[in-house]
Amino acid sequence: MDNFLMNSFPENIKKEIEQIQKLILPLAKKTSKYMFWTFPLIGIAVINLVVLLFFTPKDTNVYILLFVFAIIGAVGFALLKEAKINRKEIRNIGLRYIIERINKSSIMTDERKKHYIRIVNDKPILAMEHFVKFLQEEDRMKRMRYFNHFKTDEE
């Protein structure tokens, strides 16, 4: 998540987001490496294959080069596929953490927890936004309980 946005969150939300980031960081690094190599490999392969197939005289022996560039393109597409799989896994890791964290809450009612879990499952793209709302609501409930407890002790 963007550092500018992270600085605008309270500490409890920052800690939860950092926990998610710690879980996904190794896979995210691997995915970014794959994506770094994917497009150059595919680009080099496609450009060279087009040049060899359409702009090279037919009497030249280009089959070995065609094979080499086809292999390079296949490696690029394999890395692209692996990166897509890793991105799905990153999203699933984040969703699992969010759902587990919501379930662990001792402050929120079961009804509210089920509500947030249903929203997170229904719209996984907006899961982080809903998780932040959950954490804000949980924090409000915590403060209300503390205030009510403090108030009853004074009386």
Side-chain angles (χ1 to χ4, degrees):
M1 193 167 259
D2 191 16
N3 278 338
F4 179 73
L5 290 175
M6 284 287 286
N7 291 334
S8 66
F9 288 135
E11 280 302 313
N12 65 323
I13 295 175
K14 284 182 192 177
K15 286 179 185 176
E16 295 294 340
I17 293 173
E18 286 171 1
Q19 285 297 108
I20 293 172
Q21 287 176 338
K22 283 180 188 175
L23 290 173
I24 65 171
L25 188 63
L27 198 54
K29 283 182 178 180
K30 189 163 114 175
T31 302
S32 67
K33 287 178 187 175
Y34 289 166
M35 291 304 291
F36 177 78
W37 288 104
T38 295
F39 294 111
L41 289 175
I42 292 172
I44 289 169
V46 168
I47 290 170
N48 284 303
L49 286 172
V50 167
V51 168
L52 288 172
L53 287 173
F54 299 113
F55 301 109
T56 305
K58 299 296 179 210
D59 57 343
T60 59
N61 193 0
V62 295
Y63 298 113
I64 294 174
L65 286 175
L66 284 172
F67 181 73
V68 168
F69 287 119
I71 295 290
I72 291 171
V75 169
F77 280 111
L79 289 174
L80 180 64
K81 180 71 173 175
E82 186 66 24
K84 286 180 181 179
I85 291 169
N86 286 349
R87 276 188 270 150
K88 284 182 184 178
E89 183 60 26
I90 288 169
R91 185 177 63 234
N92 290 339
I93 290 169
L95 287 175
R96 276 194 305 264
Y97 178 84
I98 289 170
I99 291 169
E100 286 174 15
R101 173 59 181 81
I102 291 171
N103 277 326
K104 285 180 184 177
S105 177
S106 61
I107 294 162
M108 301 291 283
T109 64
D110 286 341
E111 182 181 309
R112 291 304 290 164
K113 289 193 261 187
K114 287 177 186 174
H115 167 75
Y116 278 106
I117 290 171
R118 184 176 40 80
I119 290 174
V120 166
N121 284 328
D122 289 347
K123 296 182 182 178
I125 293 173
L126 301 174
M128 190 58 80
E129 182 180 329
H130 295 299
F131 184 53
V132 168
K133 287 179 184 177
F134 165 80
L135 293 171
Q136 290 169 337
E137 184 177 339
E138 183 184 53
D139 191 51
R140 277 194 307 273
M141 295 290 289
K142 229 186 250 184
R143 282 189 268 127
M144 282 176 47
R145 283 187 181 176
Y146 176 77
F147 180 74
N148 288 339
H149 179 71
F150 183 71
K151 194 174 181 181
T152 56
D153 285 347
E154 286 182 349
E155 295 172 0

